Amino acid sequence: MFIKVTQSGNRRYAQLVESFRNEEGKPRQRTVCTLGRLEAGGEVDTLIASLQRARGITPVPSALDGLRFTDSRHAGDIWALSELWRSLGFDDLASSWRRSKAEVDVLSCLRLMVFNRLCDPGSKLGVLRWLETVALPAGSGVVTEHQHLLRAMDVLDEHSDKLGARLATLMRPLIDQDLSVVFYDLTTVAVTGQTDLEDDVRAYGLAKSGLIERQFM
């Protein structure tokens, strides 16, 4: 018997091959078994280590020992949104609150909250969890605390009129004046309490929590 090396694509495999003579006395070969991949860390290395242990020999550690795969981060959707944000000139929205004495990077908070709403909408705390799963482009700013987002929202609310006017100026060239369809972002608020009121705006429905709760839009 001997070892035969075969190749499939970019990978090399080791096979255990036996030589024999057929009924006519002619030499032939047959594959007894495939031992596995020859690349470092492949099945052949595992087999060699097992045979060494069987003989009482300490296996030579592989260069891949201890190698672990970690979760990848999403980048494509964030890159596309960053390019769209830049091409629309949305960084200029910061002029709406330029004179405010904000202690946080309001523009970075706004950008991240908008991206999160488009990619994986959730709560403000959900934004921080989402940030751990994405790769942000350089210069996107750093938001590490829930309070940063809440303070940014306070600033945006305080200057909402100026922000709306600036946003309208930036978007006006892209919008046909004969506009017929508008998408508006809405949210629901769940309310506790069982009191029934006349003309109550609260209604039972599937809430964000996944439960049936009284809520209003």
Side-chain angles (χ1 to χ4, degrees):
M1 291 188 183
F2 61 95
I3 299 296
K4 179 181 178 181
V5 177
T6 61
Q7 186 155 349
S8 177
N10 295 326
R11 294 192 171 185
R12 298 165 66 241
Y13 295 85
Q15 294 179 330
L16 182 62
V17 178
E18 177 185 26
S19 298
F20 69 99
R21 291 184 179 275
N22 61 13
E23 295 178 354
E24 299 175 357
K26 297 181 179 181
R28 293 288 185 268
Q29 296 178 357
R30 58 188 170 204
T31 301
V32 178
C33 65
T34 298
L35 301 178
R37 292 181 293 114
L38 279 170
E39 287 77 19
E43 294 86 354
V44 172
D45 282 356
T46 302
L47 176 60
I48 292 174
S50 299
L51 293 173
Q52 288 176 328
R53 283 193 293 269
R55 291 195 56 197
I57 301 174
T58 303
V60 178
S62 170
L64 298 180
D65 287 347
L67 179 66
R68 296 292 182 271
F69 289 96
T70 60
D71 293 334
S72 60
R73 290 178 175 248
H74 296 282
D77 49 359
I78 301 300
W79 179 85
L81 289 173
S82 297
E83 289 299 300
L84 181 60
W85 179 282
R86 181 186 58 79
S87 65
L88 292 174
F90 279 1
D91 282 341
D92 192 48
L93 293 175
S95 61
S96 304
W97 60 83
R98 182 167 296 155
R99 296 184 180 181
S100 67
K101 297 181 180 179
E103 298 178 356
V104 298
D105 186 348
V106 179
L107 183 64
S108 293
C109 292
L110 173 62
R111 184 167 46 228
L112 293 177
M113 287 188 288
V114 170
F115 288 3
N116 170 255
R117 180 55 58 95
L118 293 171
C119 296
D120 186 18
S123 64
K124 301 299 179 292
L125 284 174
V127 173
L128 298 180
R129 292 190 291 267
W130 170 77
L131 283 175
E132 297 176 357
T133 68
V134 298
L136 297 174
S140 297
V142 178
V143 178
T144 59
E145 297 183 20
H146 183 222
Q147 290 296 326
H148 291 171
L149 301 176
L150 298 182
R151 291 174 186 170
M153 289 297 294
D154 289 339
V155 174
L156 296 174
D157 183 60
E158 181 182 353
H159 298 84
S160 59
D161 291 341
K162 292 181 180 178
L163 179 60
R166 189 62 195 143
L167 182 61
T169 300
L170 293 172
M171 295 297 294
R172 188 174 294 121
L174 305 177
I175 300 177
D176 189 339
Q177 303 223 351
D178 295 327
L179 187 65
S180 58
V181 178
V182 174
F183 293 95
Y184 195 79
D185 184 23
L186 300 174
T187 188
T188 55
V189 178
V191 181
T192 59
Q194 302 300 319
T195 303
D196 291 324
L197 302 174
E198 186 177 355
D199 297 326
D200 199 339
V201 298
R202 300 172 299 173
Y204 285 99
L206 184 62
K208 297 176 184 177
S209 62
L211 304 176
I212 301 298
E213 297 179 328
R214 298 180 83 181
Q215 54 188 329
F216 65 90
M217 182 77 65

